[in-house]
Amino acid sequence: MNPTIVWIVISGLMNGGIYALIAMGLSLQYGVARVINLSHGEFIMFAAFLTWTLYTGFGINPLLSAAISGPLLFGLGFLIHRTIFTSLRNRSPSPAAFEGNSLLVAFGLYFVIQNVALLIWGGQPRAYYYLFHGVELFGVTFVVNNLIALVISVGLGAAFFVFVARSRLGRAIRAAAQDPVTAGLMGVNINFVLPLCFGLGALMAGVAGLLASMCYPISISMGMNYTVIALIVVALGGLGSIPGSFIGGFILGLVGSVVAHWQPALSMVAYYAIFMFLLLVRPAGILGKA
Amino acid sequence: MSIANLTSRRFLLVAGLLLLLLVFLATFPLYTSRSDVLVLTIILMYIILTVSWAMFSGSTGYMSLAPAAFFGVGVYTAALLFSEKWALLPLPAVIVIAGIASFVLALLVGLVTLRLKGIYFAIFTFGLVVLIRQLLVFWELQIVGKRGQHVIAVSGDTVYYVMLGILVVTLLTVYLIRRSRLGLAMQSIGGNEEAAAHMGVNTTMVKVLTFGISAIFMGAAGAIMATRWIYVDPVIAFNVFYSFMPVLMAVFGGMGQLYGPVIGAAIFAYTERALRLQSPYYYMLAFGIILILVILYLPGGLVSLVPKLQNKLAGLISKFWKGGKAEQHANT
């Protein structure tokens, strides 16, 4: 096989794995909890720095540190929704008003998380080396940690999809996504399921942040780009469609790596081109219902 | 006294106060230091951004996160047309062209996104700033081969007066739009877009047009700010900070009244100058917390306190008044 093509495809899938994770997280937060979470990327950044501290400060293996950062991020997301967004939901006169207000609150969270991180870690970018050696695949050399990131994101995405599609709690989540009020009348505890979804979204952001810190240098301002990408992938896959976000993440990752191979500075431009094309041709996204 | 008389007297009072304020602002550079003038220039800039943001997003309910894009287009228009290499045009022309450039960009963005659900609009505008910045960085590094542009310097007082002029035009325009059919159409879109469309409002046209108008002033403010900065590059010009601040300021001040965003922007911009240099992180952290608290507990913003305070005050006065009367009765 042509090594260039192998390189483009596999590195595209690696990026795509992280994109898919963050987009699935945002899809849960927007599709079910109806929060347009502009601070999604800040959760990713926070988890990335947490992983960095745990590895360089305490010598905890980044992959194992998920046992600390995962529950922490989940709890944080759950608590934020249970306190702020639940009370906002009860105060808002209509779902549309809640969407607008939740966007603004998420905006406030963006400032809070970013500046807490700046107070803890300061402004300089960080990086660490973990499993940083090459391995040959189809005649091309890849870094091991990148491949592990890909495997983890695919595994986690698939596991989560099965959880939503098959489990009882997953059914409650899907019901809440369709109509929270009716789901509440059918015996779904909305005040538990919506914070749960927000928390799971934060958890996915946390795992994505962990993987990102393993593969790339990290900085406090990294969150914004991830938020933009997650929003585009969610729109690409169809608002609220979890498999759509999963597939969309990989599509965007592949497009990004094709463009980056030719001109690295223009990958964001390519994402936008896709987004605009989609808005004009199929606004509901690839798997969304019109 | 008839009601008409009363309202006209009130109108005169407000007009008189505004005139006094304008005279104060116009003579400000005569008796203050240059750094004070700069601080006020920046406050005026934030007021322009916030008022024009609130004019569109506050009334239609479509969250635009693109002020920095229009502001940056203004900055770069000045950088290209008013540079040291070729000063092609006089300053007023550059500012007008910057406004037009932002207007055109807003029309294009609006035509693509405003036909769809509000969420797409928020998503698109959120990343627009990053997109334009990347395109410009690419253009400067790969095609021009030099990063950044130099803009001709203009005296601080000139920048101040131009900014004041843009602000006056902005406020007048927004005031007139709010009172016009266009303003009513925007409010009906914010209330219930489907109903507005059924009533015969051409919703897409109204949204795209007013989005474009709001961008004009942001672009103009960017163009004059560029002459103050002298050197600009894509990262300075397209800073997402200028997208976020107007939203914060407008929400803080309250969007129900024209003066809400003005007050919010004035307070925030002033405290920003005072506190940001000393402890920026704590300051921005407090910013975020205040924003969340305002949305939760004071959805109308700061100005929604005014009627409440008025009621309280009126209650207090009437209590005293009645108390006084009662005393008189007791005496006689």
Side-chain angles (χ1 to χ4, degrees):
Chain A
M1 242 188 295
N2 185 342
T4 317
I5 294 175
V6 173
W7 167 255
I8 288 176
V9 169
I10 295 195
S11 59
L13 290 178
M14 286 169 186
N15 277 332
I18 294 180
Y19 294 174
L21 273 189
I22 59 175
M24 282 168 77
L26 189 68
S27 189
L28 269 177
Q29 296 181 337
Y30 178 68
V32 187
R34 296 271 185 269
V35 176
I36 305 166
N37 188 9
L38 291 184
S39 61
H40 195 54
E42 305 319 302
F43 286 89
I44 298 167
M45 176 271 291
F46 196 82
F49 273 84
L50 192 65
T51 311
W52 175 81
T53 302
L54 289 175
Y55 184 59
T56 57
F58 300 89
I60 299 171
N61 180 324
L63 292 174
L64 296 181
S65 74
I68 300 169
S69 58
L72 190 77
L73 266 281
F74 173 79
L76 196 67
F78 190 91
L79 255 169
I80 286 175
H81 194 285
R82 193 69 189 82
T83 51
I84 300 172
F85 288 108
T86 304
S87 102
L88 188 67
R89 190 166 164 269
N90 294 336
R91 281 162 204 269
S92 297
S94 69
F98 173 71
E99 267 183 31
N101 285 334
S102 71
L103 188 143
L104 291 171
V105 169
F107 206 47
L109 281 177
Y110 165 90
F111 280 104
V112 172
I113 300 174
Q114 191 166 57
N115 288 287
V116 166
L118 279 168
L119 286 170
I120 300 174
W121 288 292
Q124 58 273 61
R126 312 276 187 183
Y128 62 84
Y129 296 99
Y130 174 70
L131 290 180
F132 193 76
H133 49 262
V135 64
E136 208 175 281
L137 207 68
F138 302 114
V140 185
T141 311
F142 289 97
V143 183
V144 174
N145 58 26
N146 279 261
L147 291 174
I148 291 177
L150 174 62
V151 172
I152 291 177
S153 47
V154 170
L156 194 67
F160 185 71
F161 179 70
V162 172
F163 164 69
V164 172
R166 293 292 162 135
S167 73
R168 202 175 147 75
L169 204 52
R171 194 183 301 159
I173 288 175
R174 280 180 291 141
Q178 279 186 2
D179 186 343
V181 178
T182 315
L185 293 174
M186 299 296 157
V188 174
N189 184 355
I190 280 301
N191 285 338
F192 173 73
V193 167
L194 297 187
L196 177 79
C197 286
F198 199 85
L200 285 175
L203 173 73
M204 299 226 158
V207 176
L210 187 156
L211 298 177
S213 77
M214 223 164 69
C215 304
Y216 315 109
I218 55 177
S219 69
I220 295 287
S221 57
M222 70 193 264
M224 170 101 185
N225 269 343
Y226 281 113
T227 309
V228 171
I229 288 169
L231 285 167
I232 292 179
V233 175
V234 168
L236 178 71
L239 292 177
S241 160
I242 287 164
S245 299
F246 189 67
I247 299 166
F250 284 102
I251 293 178
L252 211 68
L254 284 173
V255 170
S257 86
V258 170
V259 175
H261 177 71
W262 166 69
Q263 185 53 257
L266 290 183
S267 51
M268 192 62 99
V269 179
Y271 298 159
Y272 255 80
I274 294 177
F275 186 47
M276 263 174 75
F277 178 73
L278 199 82
L279 284 183
L280 293 169
V281 178
R282 188 172 160 75
I286 43 178
L287 287 184
K289 295 174 193 75
Chain B
M1 199 189 297
S2 75
I3 289 173
N5 212 341
L6 199 72
T7 49
S8 77
R9 261 180 65 178
R10 195 175 157 178
F11 176 78
L12 279 179
L13 189 71
V14 171
L17 279 176
L18 280 179
L19 202 68
L20 262 178
L21 188 65
L22 194 63
V23 169
F24 168 71
L25 286 174
T27 53
F28 189 77
L30 299 179
Y31 42 78
T32 47
S33 69
R34 277 163 74 181
S35 65
D36 285 344
V37 172
L38 178 61
V39 170
L40 194 57
T41 307
I42 290 167
I43 293 177
L44 295 184
M45 178 196 83
Y46 276 123
I47 297 178
I48 293 169
L49 291 179
T50 309
V51 168
S52 35
W53 180 85
M55 178 198 91
F56 175 76
S57 293
S59 49
T60 61
Y62 277 76
M63 284 299 158
S64 160
L65 295 171
F70 304 126
F71 182 79
V73 165
V75 170
Y76 252 77
T77 309
L80 294 179
L81 298 178
F82 204 63
S83 69
E84 279 171 353
K85 253 189 298 177
W86 2 275
L88 297 172
L89 293 163
L91 188 60
V94 171
I95 289 167
V96 170
I97 291 173
I100 295 171
S102 294
F103 179 70
V104 172
L105 176 68
L107 287 192
L108 291 176
V109 171
L111 280 174
V112 175
T113 52
L114 280 172
R115 293 177 299 117
L116 304 163
K117 268 181 16 185
I119 168 75
Y120 290 106
F121 180 69
I123 295 175
F124 194 90
T125 52
F126 184 61
L128 187 67
V129 185
V130 184
L131 170 77
I132 299 178
R133 186 170 64 201
Q134 259 210 349
L135 273 175
L136 270 178
V137 168
F138 172 76
W139 177 67
E140 284 192 345
L141 289 181
Q142 303 290 326
I143 296 168
V144 182
K146 173 179 138 290
R147 180 163 183 164
Q149 314 274 340
H150 287 276
V151 185
I152 299 172
V154 175
S155 83
D157 285 1
T158 314
V159 175
Y160 172 76
Y161 282 117
V162 171
M163 201 63 97
L164 186 61
I166 298 172
L167 176 64
V168 170
V169 174
T170 310
L171 286 175
L172 274 177
T173 314
V174 174
Y175 177 75
L176 291 175
I177 286 181
R178 280 179 75 102
R179 291 173 64 96
S180 70
R181 284 175 68 93
L182 198 59
L184 282 177
M186 283 162 80
Q187 291 209 331
S188 67
I189 289 172
N192 185 335
E193 184 159 357
E194 223 166 291
H198 281 291
M199 303 282 204
V201 176
N202 184 347
T203 52
T204 303
M205 204 274 284
V206 169
K207 282 184 289 183
V208 174
L209 183 66
T210 49
F211 186 51
I213 293 173
S214 80
I216 294 177
F217 309 115
M218 299 177 186
I224 190 65
M225 246 357 244
T227 65
R228 175 75 227 178
W229 286 336
I230 304 170
Y231 170 80
V232 298
D233 68 18
V235 179
I236 298 174
F238 292 88
N239 187 341
V240 281
F241 197 70
Y242 296 114
S243 275
F244 294 171
M245 285 331 220
V247 182
L248 282 176
M249 290 167 175
V251 172
F252 178 67
M255 293 180 279
Q257 301 285 337
L258 175 60
Y259 59 88
V262 176
I263 292 172
I267 293 176
F268 261 40
Y270 183 75
T271 48
E272 189 210 326
R273 294 310 294 182
L275 296 175
R276 197 162 164 234
L277 290 176
Q278 289 163 15
S279 49
Y281 303 155
Y282 284 108
Y283 172 69
M284 295 305 292
L285 179 65
F287 236 54
I289 295 173
I290 289 173
L291 180 70
I292 295 173
L293 290 179
V294 165
I295 295 161
L296 276 178
Y297 300 110
L298 199 67
L302 217 53
V303 289
S304 70
L305 285 178
V306 173
K308 280 183 200 160
L309 285 178
Q310 252 174 4
N311 272 347
K312 275 246 170 75
L313 209 66
L316 224 66
I317 290 171
S318 73
K319 212 165 152 190
F320 271 115
W321 185 243
K322 273 183 191 151
K325 268 189 178 166
E327 236 170 331
Q328 275 181 355
H329 270 290
N331 285 341
T332 48

